[in-house]
Amino acid sequence: MSKKVAVITGSADGLGKGIAERLAADGFRIVLSDIDAGQLAVTEQEFKRNGHEVSSFVGNVARRDDQFALVAHAVAVFGQVDVFINNAGIEDVMPLDTVREPDLEKVFSVNVYSVVYGTQAAAEQMKKQGTGGKIINACSIAGHESYEFLGVYCASKHAVRSLTQSAAKELARHKITVNAYCPGVAATKMWDRIDEEMGKYLGTKPGEAFERFSSGILLGRPQTAKDVADFVHYLASPDSDYMTGQSIMIDGGIVLR
Ligand SMILES: NC(=O)c1ccc[n+]([C@@H]2O[C@H](COP(=O)([O-])OP(=O)(O)OC[C@H]3O[C@@H](n4cnc5c(N)ncnc54)[C@H](O)[C@@H]3O)[C@@H](O)[C@H]2O)c1
Ligand SMILES: CC(=O)[C@H](C)O
């Protein structure tokens, strides 16, 4: 039997890269995808040096055509798509009274439209294959709780949780499961930016906003990409075959559900 194929968006860096590394180690053939062509090329070379079967595709998840082209690329290179991970996302730190249409459009197009388009593209291919599949979305603690100065971002992640449920209901009959991982606080470039921007509104020094968010973690430390990837490994494996429609916290104990 041929090795399964996993497509991960936003995988040139951050949590997506960590997830791709874990799935490559699990034996998946990997399609990396990102809007940052330079970093994507660096990451692809790293995967090749490590002996992984990998291909990469430059695309913007906010564009429907790009999401369909990404799936077409995976099929052209590896013949199939078994796991599709809607990981790419962006933050926007701002008080709600300053939010304008372009801010909403930016965050919702990358965090929400992307999930609709990625799910459409992946599901179309998985239905053709007729062997089921797994669609996995990046949600967040911000998909269950709402935080000050992250209102638009939190709303976008609540939308991801909702889409995870609706897609699970529509796709179960095709043996496609849809679940989401909800990280807490991980020291990626996203949090470097949040920390800096929060400083403007909270008056915090560099590192302080990150510390504040991390201080309530029951397990006593911010998470690593590996912490998230170890859970996504489960969602991508047959061990999670009886789970669908769930958005599960993997946050060291910040939000308890
Ligand atoms: N870091 C955290 O603490 C945290 C917590 C909860 C949820 N998340 C979610 O996890 C996901 C990954 O977060 P991260 O911390 O690794 O972010 P990051 O900013 O460190 O990395 C995101 C990657 O996505 C790419 N990307 C951004 N916009 C894109 C677009 N339009 N099209 C394609 N690629 C794009 C970037 O180039 C980058 O490589 C996001 O959905 C984020 O909301 C992160
Ligand atoms: C970035 C993110 O989703 C949480 C708030 O850390």
Side-chain angles (χ1 to χ4, degrees), residues 4-8 23 28 67-68 71-72 74-75 79-86 115 117-137 167-168 170-179 235-236 244:
K4 286 188 172 174
V5 177
V7 178
I8 306 106
L23 297 190
F28 280 89
Q67 293 284 59
F68 277 79
V71 168
V75 174
Q80 66 202 65
V81 173
D82 303 288
V83 172
F84 189 95
I85 307 188
N86 284 306
V115 172
Y117 303 150
T119 300
Q120 289 174 339
E124 182 183 85
Q125 176 59 28
M126 288 169 181
K127 284 183 212 168
K128 266 188 221 157
Q129 292 168 197
T131 48
K134 287 173 183 280
I135 296 173
I136 303 172
N137 299 327
E170 291 186 20
L171 295 173
R173 70 193 70 130
H174 301 287
K175 299 206 179 332
I176 299 168
T177 63
V178 188
N179 291 293
L235 293 180
T244 197

Side-chain angles (χ1 to χ4, degrees), residues 11 23 26 54 57 78 85 100 117 126 139 158 221:
S11 47
L23 297 190
D26 288 345
V54 66
F57 180 87
F78 292 133
I85 307 188
R100 298 291 180 269
Y117 303 150
M126 288 169 181
C139 188
H158 277 66
R221 63 168 176 83

Side-chain angles (χ1 to χ4, degrees), residues 8-19 33-37 39-40 43 57-63 66-67 86-91 106 109-111 114 137-143 153 156-157 160 181-194 210 223 225 228 250-251:
I8 306 106
T9 68
S11 47
D13 204 358
L15 302 183
K17 181 182 175 193
I19 290 165
S33 181
D34 209 282
I35 199 168
D36 182 341
Q39 187 56 46
L40 185 64
T43 301
F57 180 87
V58 179
N60 178 355
V61 291
R63 293 175 52 88
D66 283 13
Q67 293 284 59
N86 284 306
N87 170 74
I90 56 167
E91 77 295 340
K106 185 177 75 173
S109 66
V110 178
N111 292 3
S114 64
N137 299 327
C139 188
S140 168
I141 51 171
Y153 176 79
S156 77
K157 291 299 182 181
V160 170
Y181 50 99
C182 300
V185 181
T188 61
K189 288 183 182 144
M190 175 176 280
W191 248 105
D192 290 345
R193 294 188 299 268
I194 295 175
F210 181 78
Q223 67 194 131
V228 179
I250 171 71
D251 65 352

